[in-house]
Amino acid sequence: MTITRRRFLHYSALVTSSLAVSGLPLYAYDPNAGPEEHDEVRRSYCGLCHPRCGTLLHMKNGRVFEVSGDPDHPVTRGLICERGLLMPEHIHHPDRINHPLKRKGARGEGKWERISWEQALDEVARKLGALRDEFGPETLAFTHGTSRTHHWDCRRFFNLFGSPNVCGVNNICMCPSYATEYATYGGMARGNPRQAECVVVWGRAAANSSPVLAWPALKDARDRGVKFIVVDPRRIQEVEFAEMWLQIRPGTDLAMMLAWIRLIIEEDLYDREFVSNWTVGFDELKESVREYTPEKVSEITWVPADKIKAAARLYARSKPAQIPYAYGLDKQGINSNQCARARAILRAITGNLEIEGGETFSQTPEAAKVRGEFDLVRAEAISREQRAKQLGADTYPFFGFPGWERNLENNQKLPQGMVSPPSMYRTCAAHARDVFQAVTTGKPYPVKAMLSVASNPMLSFPDSKMVFEALQSLDLYVVMEYYLTPSAALADYVFPSATTVEQPQLWTTGGFCMSCPPGIEPMYERKDTYQFYRGLGLRLGQEKDWPWENLEQVFDYCLEPVGLTFEELTRDYGFRGTPEYKRYEKHGFGTPSGKVELFSSIFEELGNDPLPKYKEPAWSPEGDPEVAQDFPLILITGSRFMPMYHSEQRQIESAREVMPDPLVLVHPDTAQELGLENGRWVKVISPQGEVRVKLQTSTIMHPRMVDVQHGWWFPERQEARPELFGVFESNANMLCPMDEKFCSPEIGSWPHSALMCRIEAV
């Protein structure tokens, strides 16, 4: 099949991805292509992943036939990635859910009847009310996805309903870092690599994970002479312009960080003034890292000791320097939170916090005026009694209400708006394992109902068979989605979700606030999630708590302190703020001590290690030699690959032309040694399970490591059980465990990497 070259009415610079490393085809911008006939061009945004990139929708006969980047957008400036080009097909795809559906027959039988929104909301609300009366509001749970929706509307509904059991993949996606940095210095730090002297790319492949924002920034930084250190088990694209590459064994990153900390202290490369005046616990830290010599850590990480030393010195001697957040550290399980702690400590002791060119977390005064999540979730509505029932909070209190409340209390000691309050949806969650087990066992209490919005639990959580058993055991399962997914196929009711371009959004950060206008009216009976939650809330006694009729009115409320309406903001796209640095000198940090807590008092209070300590992963060559005999290869999953995003885009033809089958990347020497041929189907087997994928040889891989693509299912397959769109066949989460021994003790991050496997021919 041939990819059609897109034509553009306006300039749109396409950001290519590391698919080139694998020899896969890329979209390319053709500046000589002429315009096609069109009716009009409408300004909108994308939203098919985390950023809200500015786009232009090219209309013809009332349909979006093409999308391009908006060159006037002040943040994304005309850039658009391969994923964004899929928007027209996504909007008009024949498999989209366009009307509410109600299950007919047995669960998962694939039989549905179309009903109205009013009937669907009436019936769901009536059943939720009855279950609440019988079992208490905690009987309702929720799984969310990643930034496809607003999130605050979900949390507002659940707080008002009285259930603390909102869960999602936040345990392994940014939130381990987010929550931990709040406990360490009161916010999550970010930086602009263009302003640094040295950037450490640690566990992040931006060409695929952030092709419009981070990847161009890194390339600009390279052109400005910024030095790069790459710490990654794979030879990612950033390696090509890095001063040094440390090809680390997955799961051992914390040991490497502790070796850096030790060397920086031992060689007096730390910022003495900042450490003396603005940190607590330095002496304890110095003692705790004494055992992590470069030589010992070299044995753990497989990185030569000389490289460990050279990299630590380059980072410490560069002023300013950055170690940007990276998803790769969050998904490795047992060490994920302490990796975040060690990275935060490195930033602090080198004096790279809250300075220009370093990494900052305070908001600009202008952006701080905009009302945000904390002003919308109605956190006070859920009682202390109900908070105490949050599933998993007894095992992982730091990621439940106890940890969130402590971070919030310390945040509120700072001037209002200096640092945004800790996000409830990011860092105040039930643990998914406990939620699913409560469904199947009824312990510690029954969970009888679940909502999944922009979430596909069978593809996003480990131990997919356990998730399946839980979903089919529910009394009431309600999904709001774009398409019928394997999870939605098990639902009782499915509501049609509006595309991002069919609804407005605010794109807010600590530095700017941008309008995201809808490009088209919602088609068919698609609605935004606010209408879903508001519709349920009005039927469940929450009439006074949903005063805004639509999202535009919500955003008018958010912008009121700025003196703007959403319509007025849209005329000028939005606004940027002016950053202010070293505000801690006047107000301190949002921690119990008012300083950066190298020794975390919050971690200590909640029963966790107050100083980072490396733990060997349970399945690893050193952690379990017997497992390693049967499963000799180190397994990575969860790496980003374009144009897919997690489990999405599988039904879009253009995306499947680029990426038709699930892949496992294997070094050519390893494949030859195992007698496996490139392009042939193989089985990847872990102690947890097995999947069927297609082998692709690639020199980006270490010979002892393999990388299995995640999120794979097959919309072209049969919907009804037992097929469920082939959800168990190539789903990488079949390989991943969720038991407590594999998870981080602070928040229960489960591993999608640093596991063990073997490969066999099919």
Side-chain angles (χ1 to χ4, degrees), residues 45 77 314 325 756:
Y45 67 104
R77 303 183 182 189
L314 176 58
Y325 157 77
M756 302 297 292

Side-chain angles (χ1 to χ4, degrees), residues 274-290:
F274 183 85
V275 167
S276 176
N277 295 331
W278 291 107
T279 71
V280 294
F282 181 75
D283 290 338
E284 294 92 332
L285 173 69
K286 181 178 180 179
E287 180 61 31
S288 71
V289 298
R290 194 177 300 277

Side-chain angles (χ1 to χ4, degrees), residues 594-646:
K595 298 183 178 184
V596 177
E597 299 212 344
L598 308 177
F599 182 102
S600 173
S601 60
I602 291 179
F603 272 37
E604 182 181 43
E605 180 187 356
L606 296 177
N608 299 126
D609 288 335
L611 290 162
K613 296 179 182 178
Y614 173 73
K615 298 179 176 67
E616 184 67 32
W619 289 346
S620 71
E622 284 72 26
D624 194 330
E626 290 188 11
V627 166
Q629 283 186 350
D630 292 332
F631 305 93
L633 297 172
I634 296 175
L635 171 65
I636 303 169
T637 77
S639 302
R640 301 290 192 266
F641 56 96
M642 295 291 281
M644 309 301 186
Y645 193 68
H646 298 307

Side-chain angles (χ1 to χ4, degrees), residues 683-692 728-731 734-735 758 760:
K683 288 191 294 184
V684 178
I685 307 168
S686 80
Q688 179 74 23
E690 66 178 59
V691 295
R692 178 179 178 269
F728 299 119
E729 181 175 321
S730 302
N731 178 359
M734 296 288 292
L735 306 171
R758 67 173 183 265
E760 299 176 357

Side-chain angles (χ1 to χ4, degrees), residues 92-142:
H92 301 294
H93 200 284
D95 292 339
R96 283 288 298 270
I97 301 168
N98 293 319
H99 312 280
L101 302 174
K102 180 180 179 180
R103 172 170 63 85
K104 292 177 64 178
R107 187 184 299 279
E109 194 176 354
K111 296 180 179 178
W112 305 93
E113 64 174 313
R114 174 179 166 181
I115 60 175
S116 69
W117 266 87
E118 291 299 310
Q119 179 185 344
L121 289 171
D122 286 345
E123 292 184 9
V124 170
R126 185 167 59 250
K127 292 177 181 181
L128 286 177
L131 291 169
R132 178 178 59 184
D133 292 344
E134 184 175 357
F135 300 104
E138 63 273 13
T139 198
L140 173 62
F142 177 81

Side-chain angles (χ1 to χ4, degrees), residues 43-56 68-70 72-81 83-84 87 145-152 210 212-213 425-426 454 482 498-501 503-509 512-518 529 551 555 566 573 645 648:
R43 181 155 63 88
S44 192
Y45 67 104
C46 181
L48 287 178
C49 61
H50 278 279
R52 299 312 189 231
C53 301
T55 61
L56 299 174
S68 63
D70 182 353
D72 297 323
H73 194 281
V75 176
T76 55
R77 303 183 182 189
L79 298 181
I80 187 173
C81 71
R83 191 179 297 123
M87 183 63 78
T146 171
S147 286
R148 225 56 86 257
T149 56
H150 311 285
H151 288 303
W152 64 263
S210 185
V212 171
L213 296 179
Y425 99 81
R426 287 191 179 102
Y482 300 134
T499 319
T500 52
V501 299
Q503 56 183 304
Q505 288 197 12
L506 275 184
W507 184 14
T508 57
T509 69
F512 64 75
C513 175
M514 293 292 151
S515 165
C516 301
T529 59
L551 284 171
F555 299 148
F566 183 75
Y573 287 92
Y645 193 68
E648 299 181 56

Side-chain angles (χ1 to χ4, degrees), residues 567-761:
E567 182 179 359
E568 291 167 340
L569 184 77
T570 301
R571 293 173 192 163
D572 297 320
Y573 287 92
F575 61 85
R576 290 182 181 272
T578 303
E580 297 180 2
Y581 301 106
K582 295 189 176 183
R583 295 170 73 181
Y584 61 83
E585 293 181 341
K586 187 180 295 184
H587 305 293
F589 290 90
T591 63
S593 64
K595 298 183 178 184
V596 177
E597 299 212 344
L598 308 177
F599 182 102
S600 173
S601 60
I602 291 179
F603 272 37
E604 182 181 43
E605 180 187 356
L606 296 177
N608 299 126
D609 288 335
L611 290 162
K613 296 179 182 178
Y614 173 73
K615 298 179 176 67
E616 184 67 32
W619 289 346
S620 71
E622 284 72 26
D624 194 330
E626 290 188 11
V627 166
Q629 283 186 350
D630 292 332
F631 305 93
L633 297 172
I634 296 175
L635 171 65
I636 303 169
T637 77
S639 302
R640 301 290 192 266
F641 56 96
M642 295 291 281
M644 309 301 186
Y645 193 68
H646 298 307
S647 64
E648 299 181 56
Q649 286 86 40
R650 297 307 191 281
Q651 49 285 95
I652 295 180
E653 185 179 13
S654 294
R656 290 293 290 277
E657 288 174 342
V658 175
M659 188 63 67
D661 301 306
L663 301 178
V664 54
L665 301 186
V666 181
H667 193 279
D669 294 346
T670 307
Q672 184 177 15
E673 181 182 334
L674 296 173
L676 302 173
E677 296 181 34
N678 187 42
R680 301 297 294 269
W681 289 93
V682 296
K683 288 191 294 184
V684 178
I685 307 168
S686 80
Q688 179 74 23
E690 66 178 59
V691 295
R692 178 179 178 269
V693 289
K694 186 173 285 188
L695 186 141
Q696 180 166 301
T697 56
S698 173
T699 55
I700 73 169
M701 298 303 300
H702 187 286
R704 294 177 64 183
M705 306 173 194
V706 300
D707 188 356
V708 175
Q709 289 182 344
H710 72 296
W712 272 97
W713 58 290
F714 304 95
E716 64 271 22
R717 303 261 186 98
Q718 185 176 352
E719 171 196 338
R721 294 173 52 192
E723 181 80 350
L724 287 178
F725 300 115
V727 67
F728 299 119
E729 181 175 321
S730 302
N731 178 359
N733 287 343
M734 296 288 292
L735 306 171
C736 304
M738 206 181 193
D739 297 343
E740 188 174 341
K741 71 175 183 177
F742 299 100
C743 298
S744 67
E746 297 83 14
I747 73 168
S749 297
W750 47 80
H752 286 290
S753 285
L755 299 168
M756 302 297 292
C757 71
R758 67 173 183 265
I759 304 181
E760 299 176 357

